[in-house]
Amino acid sequence: MRSKLMVGNWKMNGSLADNASLVSELLAGMAGVHCRAAVCVPTAYLAQLQNLLSGSSIELGAQDVSAHDFGPYTGEVSARMLQDFAVRYCIVGHSERRMHHAESDVLVAAKAQRALAAGITPIVCLGESLAEREAGQTEAVVKRQLAAVIHANGHCISEIVVAYEPLWAIGTGLTATPDQAQQLHAVLRAQLQAASAHADRVSILYGGSMTAATAAQLLAQPDVDGGLIGGAALKASEFLSMLAMASR
Ligand code: 13P
């Protein structure tokens, strides 16, 4: 049985002062939380968060990693550098990076590979746009995105986390219905099962306007193993409510 995993993606938000107060509110509310919890923070704050989260049950995550090991890649951060801050998870292929930084399926798969080689669990984001959904291409798009990651990471595919994040649900207040999420998660689970005998270990998270109001029903679906939460993870009380729901 997979225990639920709830991950806050802070995106490009925060400051030294805001981070300290958010984390102190979170830590004060963690009694009774039994699910796995993590926050993926901007690179600039990894050292601060490593310090703030030390000894707590909230794990540290990054939002991106270079596909290269080291060298002349100005502005990039390698998996080994993330290792220095005891990073446990790293988001790869978030739709905002695929969209604004032209990240391809092959690049995302290479990033997942780098993270795995450094002992960091990649949270591989997949999802269709509204136009793709309306054209009936949803399954084909997410299967293509996952196939690239499976192809590059074959034998260790059971070590990844997958996040299904329909683009039309991100930051829009539109959430996939529990049925829509379950249907897609089941498709992704079947694809993972065809690639690995250990696919049942893979947590498949849902992301896209998940809030305390929508989380319980999404988390009740058999293949929804947790959430990747943007805006609502920046409010301590909201994130803590969702952690409590995932702990039931
Ligand atoms: P929102 O929860 O703000 O819609 O963001 C979802 C997301 O992109 C998490 O990675």
Side-chain angles (χ1 to χ4, degrees):
M1 167 86 182
R2 298 172 293 273
S3 72
K4 300 272 195 249
L5 170 62
M6 301 296 275
V7 181
N9 174 8
W10 288 6
K11 306 193 179 183
M12 199 173 72
N13 293 292
S15 67
L16 287 173
D18 289 351
N19 302 344
S21 69
L22 176 54
V23 169
S24 97
E25 279 184 72
L26 289 177
L27 295 182
M30 287 299 285
V33 170
H34 308 301
C35 66
R36 293 174 290 155
V39 288
C40 293
V41 307
T43 312
Y45 297 128
L46 285 174
Q48 182 199 17
L49 268 291
Q50 181 187 18
N51 194 22
L52 289 174
L53 297 176
S54 145
S56 84
S57 58
I58 302 179
E59 295 186 287
L60 182 58
Q63 298 178 5
D64 187 27
V65 66
S66 176
H68 303 285
D69 215 8
F70 61 90
Y73 302 101
T74 302
E76 299 248 300
V77 173
S78 73
R80 287 187 203 190
M81 294 171 187
L82 298 182
Q83 247 178 350
D84 278 345
F85 298 97
V87 163
R88 168 82 174 77
Y89 296 100
C90 180
I91 294 173
V92 298
H94 193 280
S95 60
E96 288 152 13
R97 294 211 58 88
R98 291 180 191 258
M99 212 168 12
H100 305 310
H101 302 271
E103 292 198 4
S104 66
D105 294 342
V106 169
L107 179 66
V108 171
K111 289 183 171 198
Q113 205 171 19
R114 285 289 173 203
L116 284 169
I120 294 168
T121 302
I123 300 176
V124 178
C125 297
L126 319 167
E128 82 288 2
S129 68
L130 185 59
E132 288 163 339
R133 174 163 283 267
E134 286 174 350
Q137 294 167 347
T138 300
E139 282 192 22
V141 168
V142 298
K143 282 166 106 172
R144 187 204 71 220
Q145 292 170 334
L146 183 56
V149 180
I150 291 173
H151 178 72
N153 295 279
H155 61 286
C156 35
I157 201 68
S158 63
E159 308 301 319
I160 71 168
V161 167
V162 171
Y164 169 57
E165 298 204 307
L167 273 63
W168 46 270
I170 295 178
T172 57
L174 293 173
T175 315
T177 64
D179 282 351
Q180 283 171 327
Q182 169 56 28
Q183 194 193 340
L184 254 293
H185 285 221
V187 166
L188 296 171
R189 176 86 59 211
Q191 191 176 358
L192 289 163
Q193 275 163 343
S196 164
H198 305 295
D200 285 348
R201 281 191 212 150
V202 177
S203 292
I204 307 181
L205 315 182
Y206 168 79
S209 297
M210 194 189 243
T211 63
T214 55
Q217 277 192 306
L218 286 159
L219 293 171
Q221 303 305 307
D223 286 296
V224 177
D225 304 314
L228 182 57
I229 301 138
L234 296 171
K235 296 173 210 135
S237 60
E238 184 94 7
F239 194 53
L240 285 168
S241 300
M242 286 188 268
L243 293 180
M245 287 172 198
S247 300
R248 283 181 201 143

